[in-house]
């Protein structure tokens, strides 16, 4: 009886051992097969952060749990709050691994340093269409966050400044309007009007009322008087230099010294050009501090109004001063310069147009 029990026990143990051995063998075979599979592809990180000044961000994709055979996977770029071409440049593409290759694959997204103060912007990258027996892992999508840590876009406060030759000096302001990180420098220069076109310089249209009669077929006459190109020494003192902005400093100014020229030869005004160039980080600042120029305000014009010198010559109509009559019908409807402003003829009974007549000068 004991012998039979022992035989049964031994048989059970042997059968059990065989089953365990079979399971172990199957497990080893399965592990070997898994290790030799095509693998799984997924992003190396669930999110990436980049500032606009960095210029680009590199995205990595891993191949794990196998490297047998050649595989590929598609990736697509989808905007979130970021705008394609304005905030970033990046197209969809394909990543490829060869047989036995398990190295990470990378591609770049170009980040645009635009001219807007913005909150954090986002875009998304997604893996699709695995080939060669591979599969996509848990991290099939990643998020790119673009931070607008700009150092600033530099420019003049306006594209056209106006002053008078009798003002002595004029102050020009440069602003840092699209970011304020880091200490930065920018060069400025005041040039004559040699590079300005006639359209950029412009002029003034004057109007006068003539007495009624056959001698003057037109009761109202108008004449356009063009401005002149300003020259160094005759209209202003040559000026150039460098403006230094401290960290988070938003504006700086420089002055232009004016040369009085009240003989009327530069009537109605002369035009100079203001130019900004070479924006750069101050010494000791990190590489991420990269100021730029605002393309709309890199240059500006400076109009220097001339003051008519003497009553002998009428610079508008090129004749003896007219009219000398006190009759109301003989009045001139034009205006005269003075301290960077125009004034309508007092004969019209109008108030000083201090803030209203800094346009194109047309009545």
């Amino acid at each position: 009886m004991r012998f039979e029990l022992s035989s049964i026990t031994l048989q059970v143990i042997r059968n059990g051992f065989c089953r365990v051995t079979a399971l172990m063998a199957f497990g080893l075979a399965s592990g070997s097969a898994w290790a030799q599979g095509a693998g799984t592809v997924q992003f190396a990180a669930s999110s990436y952060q980049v500032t606009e000044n960095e210029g680009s961000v590199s995205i990595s994709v891993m191949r794990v749990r196998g490297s047998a055979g050649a595989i590929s996977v598609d990736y697509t770029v989808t905007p979130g709050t970021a705008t394609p071409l304005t905030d970033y440049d990046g197209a969809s593409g394909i990543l490829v691994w060869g047989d036995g290759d398990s190295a990470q694959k990378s591609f770049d997204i170009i980040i645009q340093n635009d001219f807007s103060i913005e909150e954090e912007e986002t875009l998304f990258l997604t893996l699709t269409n695995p080939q060669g027996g591979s599969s996509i892992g848990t991290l099939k999508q990643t998020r790119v966050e673009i931070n607008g840590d700009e150092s600033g876009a530099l420019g003049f406060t306006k594209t056209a400044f106006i002053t008078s030759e009798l003002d002595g000096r004029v102050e020009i302001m440069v602003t840092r309007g699209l970011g304020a990180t880091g200490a930065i420098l920018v060069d400025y220069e005041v040039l004559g009007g040699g590079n300005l076109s006639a359209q950029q310089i412009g002029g003034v249209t004057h109007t006068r009322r003539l007495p009624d009669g056959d001698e003057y077929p037109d009761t109202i006459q108008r004449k356009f008087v063009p401005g002149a190109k300003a020259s160094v020494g005759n209209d202003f003192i040559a000026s150039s230099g460098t403006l230094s902005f401290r960290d988070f400093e938003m504006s700086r100014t420089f002055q232009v010294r004016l040369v009085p020229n009240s003989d009327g030869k530069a009537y109605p005004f002369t035009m100079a050009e203001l130019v900004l160039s070479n924006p750069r980080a101050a010494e000791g600042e990190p590489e991420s501090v990269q100021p730029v120029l605002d393309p709309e305000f890199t240059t500006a014009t400076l109009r220097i109004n001339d003051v008519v010198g003497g009553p002998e010559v009428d610079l508008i109509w090129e004749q003896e001063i007219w009219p000398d009559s006190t009759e109301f019908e003989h009045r001139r409807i034009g205006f005269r310069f003075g301290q960077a402003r125009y004034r309508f003829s007092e004969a019209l009974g109008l108030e000083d147009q201090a803030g209203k007549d800094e346009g194109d000068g047309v009545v």
Side-chain angles (χ1 to χ4, degrees), residues 220-233:
I220 303 264
Q221 286 188 345
R222 293 178 175 84
K223 182 176 180 179
F224 177 79
V225 183
K229 297 180 179 182
S231 60
V232 177

Side-chain angles (χ1 to χ4, degrees), residues 129-162:
N129 191 30
Q131 297 294 314
S134 62
S135 61
I136 297 176
T138 305
L139 291 179
K140 63 181 180 181
Q141 187 177 76
T142 189
R143 167 190 175 107
V144 177
E145 301 170 356
I146 306 173
N147 296 310
D149 190 20
E150 295 94 349
S151 300
L154 298 162
F156 294 107
T157 54
K158 56 178 117 176
T159 57
F161 294 84
I162 184 171

